[in-house]
Amino acid sequence: LAYLKSLDVSVNALETLPESMGGLQELVQLKCSKNRLRAFPSSLGYCKALVELHAGDNNLTSLPTELAQCGSLTSIDLQGNSLTQVPTSLLAHAPALTEVNFSRNSIQGPLPKE
């Protein structure tokens, strides 16, 4: 699986993703929407080729700071989770990011200015 480019595990009953996800260094697209995920493994930050992350309609309350190491991210869909704040460290360190969806969360803090 080391050369896997796209992984779609959407619409299952997953509560976790394995820490071994970090070994998918060629992964470009991860679709894991409509599960029961509460958190991502910190090793997801090792997926440097990751361009698209679709994780809507889960139970995510936060994102690992290591996700900011995925500098190729252009699109993040986190709609319908339980996030209470915008992950500013991720947004600050994702220069290629052009599309973000945080709708249907419980975001309370200020939005980042940059």
Side-chain angles (χ1 to χ4, degrees):
L1 293 176
Y3 298 105
L4 190 68
K5 299 259 186 216
S6 180
L7 177 62
D8 188 345
V9 291
S10 300
V11 194
N12 283 289
L14 297 174
E15 294 183 9
T16 61
L17 293 175
E19 197 65 41
S20 61
M21 290 284 301
L24 301 176
Q25 308 239 335
E26 300 295 320
L27 190 67
V28 173
Q29 182 182 66
L30 174 58
K31 293 182 177 183
C32 55
S33 298
K34 298 183 180 179
N35 279 289
R36 297 179 187 153
L37 299 174
R38 291 192 189 120
F40 284 124
S42 59
S43 66
L44 196 57
Y46 293 120
C47 296
K48 307 274 190 226
L50 191 63
V51 172
E52 294 181 27
L53 174 60
H54 303 276
D57 298 312
N58 279 290
N59 297 318
L60 297 170
T61 57
S62 65
L63 298 175
T65 56
E66 293 85 356
L67 197 56
Q69 298 170 9
C70 298
S72 298
L73 273 173
T74 62
S75 177
I76 300 174
D77 180 3
L78 294 167
Q79 67 176 316
N81 279 288
S82 299
L83 298 172
T84 57
Q85 54 186 289
V86 174
T88 54
S89 64
L90 172 61
L91 298 179
H93 295 96
L97 199 58
T98 58
E99 185 178 346
V100 176
N101 186 349
F102 291 126
S103 65
R104 295 187 297 115
N105 277 283
S106 300
I107 295 178
Q108 300 171 353
L111 294 175
K113 294 182 174 143
E114 296 181 21

